[in-house]
Amino acid sequence: MSFSAEASSAAAALDAAAAAKKLNLEKATNFMKQYRDPHSRELKKLSANQFMDVWSHYDKDGNGYIEGTELDGFLREFVSSANTADVSPEAVSDAMLVELKQCFMEAYDDNQDGKIDIRELAQLLPMEENFLLLFRFDNPLDSSVEFMKIWREYDTDGSGYIEADELKNFLRDLLKEAKKINDVSEDKLIEYTDTMLQVFDANKDGKLQLSEMAKLLPVKENFLCRQVFKGATKLTKDDIERVFSLYDRDNNGTIENEELRGFLKDLLELVKKDYDADDLQDFEETILRGVDYNDDGKINRKELTMILLALAKHNQEDDSAAKKE
């Protein structure tokens, strides 16, 4: 059963319960109710600003996820707001909540991490078509090499940040590519830019650093997070060749420029959640100082092998230390 059907079923059950018990409750404070048609109880199409209001309301700790008690609160209000009677969100029983959460997560928790990110919420709530397109990429980036090429293209002043005007240009091109036409007004683009900054600019400095842009423009997966690099299994020659091919996009036998920065970005993400262009530059200098024996500013197969073996060994030692604790 789809989540929408489950929600409708739950709403009907609440209607019946309200009528049978003649509940005399004060009008419940329910944030989601304002976004539903008062007669049909269907969700209205949200503007970019309204969607941001919903997100901010439920992501109370501002960590970029609706999870735990935040998710419970959202589900209770989402379901009870669909009810034709004014019942409290608490009327959703704990048992019903467990079933709803299971159904909801199956339908919308794409990466199965047990929490909802903004992209997953965008699948659930009806929104303006153009704004919705910003959350739906037909072809997610295959690797961080592509990400770094896009970063270089839109960080036009080379500041190491995507500032508001640069972000607006990125969103304009993204919409143009998605719709194949250019029908988004300048005012709407400004609204979308402001909204995306509110969502993804975690440190609120008015621009996007590397780690913030990486959340807006995600890569399918960080290949270096795979179990094989965690020391549980022996790293084979094929594993190393697979990694080399992933980053050596032009097949010239070395990982360099955006290829190298894409690889280092994935490596940096393993140890640092928030990072910017300076962090990446420092990391590049540190890594090259350790393995780039021919001092050419590139990584060849032998040098990559050294890095991956060190990564696997480091992860294995961390796992052993964690088990002892």
Side-chain angles (χ1 to χ4, degrees):
M1 182 185 292
S2 70
F3 182 74
S4 297
E6 186 79 20
S8 297
S9 176
L14 288 174
D15 273 345
K21 296 179 181 180
K22 295 183 179 179
L23 294 175
N24 184 22
L25 298 169
E26 294 182 11
K27 187 171 183 178
T29 301
N30 186 322
F31 191 80
M32 287 304 300
K33 187 165 283 188
Q34 64 186 301
Y35 300 114
R36 290 190 181 273
D37 182 278
H39 304 294
S40 69
R41 294 303 170 112
E42 291 290 323
L43 282 168
K44 303 172 187 174
K45 194 167 285 190
L46 305 184
S47 68
N49 288 332
Q50 288 173 329
F51 177 75
M52 183 61 207
D53 287 343
V54 172
W55 175 258
S56 300
H57 179 80
Y58 292 105
D59 178 25
K60 294 185 185 301
D61 59 6
N63 73 340
Y65 298 98
I66 296 175
E67 57 185 333
T69 55
E70 296 170 344
L71 182 57
D72 291 350
F74 168 72
L75 288 174
R76 287 184 189 277
E77 292 194 4
F78 183 85
V79 171
S80 57
S81 68
N83 199 279
T84 54
D86 282 331
V87 297
S88 165
E90 282 68 38
V92 179
S93 69
D94 291 343
M96 187 184 292
L97 180 64
V98 169
E99 289 185 24
L100 284 170
K101 188 183 292 187
Q102 182 180 355
C103 186
F104 177 84
M105 299 309 264
E106 284 177 3
Y108 297 105
D109 184 20
D110 293 336
N111 57 4
Q112 300 180 336
D113 62 356
K115 48 194 178 185
I116 296 301
D117 63 28
I118 195 160
R119 212 169 291 281
E120 291 163 341
L121 185 68
Q123 295 180 45
L124 170 66
L125 301 179
M127 297 192 298
E128 292 175 355
E129 182 188 0
N130 284 333
F131 188 62
L132 182 60
L133 285 171
L134 299 180
F135 295 97
R136 296 197 173 173
F137 306 117
D138 292 335
N139 300 298
L141 301 183
D142 285 326
S143 80
S144 287
V145 177
E146 292 177 65
F147 174 86
M148 293 309 303
K149 287 178 179 176
I150 292 171
W151 176 271
R152 184 184 64 172
E153 181 182 349
Y154 289 98
D155 179 20
T156 51
D157 60 2
S159 67
Y161 296 93
I162 300 294
E163 283 129 349
D165 283 348
E166 295 167 336
L167 179 59
K168 186 175 73 171
N169 290 335
F170 169 73
L171 297 179
R172 178 191 287 113
D173 290 347
L174 194 63
L175 288 169
K176 197 183 294 183
E177 184 179 341
K179 296 197 74 176
K180 309 300 180 190
I181 53 175
N182 190 15
D183 66 346
V184 183
S185 70
E186 194 68 12
D187 286 345
K188 272 295 175 190
L189 267 175
I190 292 171
E191 180 188 342
Y192 293 165
T193 302
D194 289 344
T195 303
M196 295 307 241
L197 276 173
Q198 287 180 63
V199 173
F200 293 102
D201 178 22
N203 61 5
K204 304 304 177 190
D205 61 357
K207 53 193 176 184
L208 297 184
Q209 63 183 32
L210 270 171
S211 58
E212 293 166 344
M213 186 68 173
K215 289 184 174 66
L216 169 58
L217 191 62
V219 173
K220 281 181 183 175
E221 73 164 327
N222 184 338
F223 197 80
L224 302 181
C225 287
R226 291 191 176 186
Q227 194 62 38
V228 69
F229 303 114
K230 297 184 178 178
T233 56
K234 189 174 180 181
L235 204 58
T236 68
K237 187 176 179 180
D238 285 344
D239 294 326
I240 293 167
E241 189 59 39
R242 199 173 297 120
V243 176
F244 196 84
S245 298
L246 179 70
Y247 295 103
D248 180 23
R249 308 298 278 189
D250 59 7
N251 299 311
N252 73 343
T254 58
I255 297 173
E256 57 190 314
N257 300 324
E258 267 69 41
E259 298 170 343
L260 176 58
R261 291 182 194 104
F263 169 66
L264 294 174
K265 169 185 169 290
D266 285 347
L267 205 56
L268 186 59
E269 282 182 349
L270 302 181
V271 295
K272 197 172 177 70
K273 182 182 176 184
D274 299 315
Y275 55 90
D276 58 23
D278 288 338
D279 293 324
L280 190 66
Q281 180 64 37
D282 292 344
F283 195 54
E284 180 176 344
E285 292 172 3
T286 302
I287 293 293
L288 290 178
R289 197 181 305 126
V291 302
D292 185 23
Y293 293 124
N294 58 3
D295 201 28
D296 62 355
K298 308 171 185 177
I299 291 180
N300 58 33
R301 281 177 173 79
K302 184 176 180 181
E303 292 162 347
L304 178 74
T305 302
M306 292 171 59
I307 295 172
L308 296 181
L309 288 173
L311 173 63
K313 183 181 179 184
H314 175 74
N315 286 331
Q316 196 169 28
E317 289 172 351
D318 282 354
D319 288 344
S320 298
K323 286 176 183 175
K324 287 179 182 177
E325 292 175 1

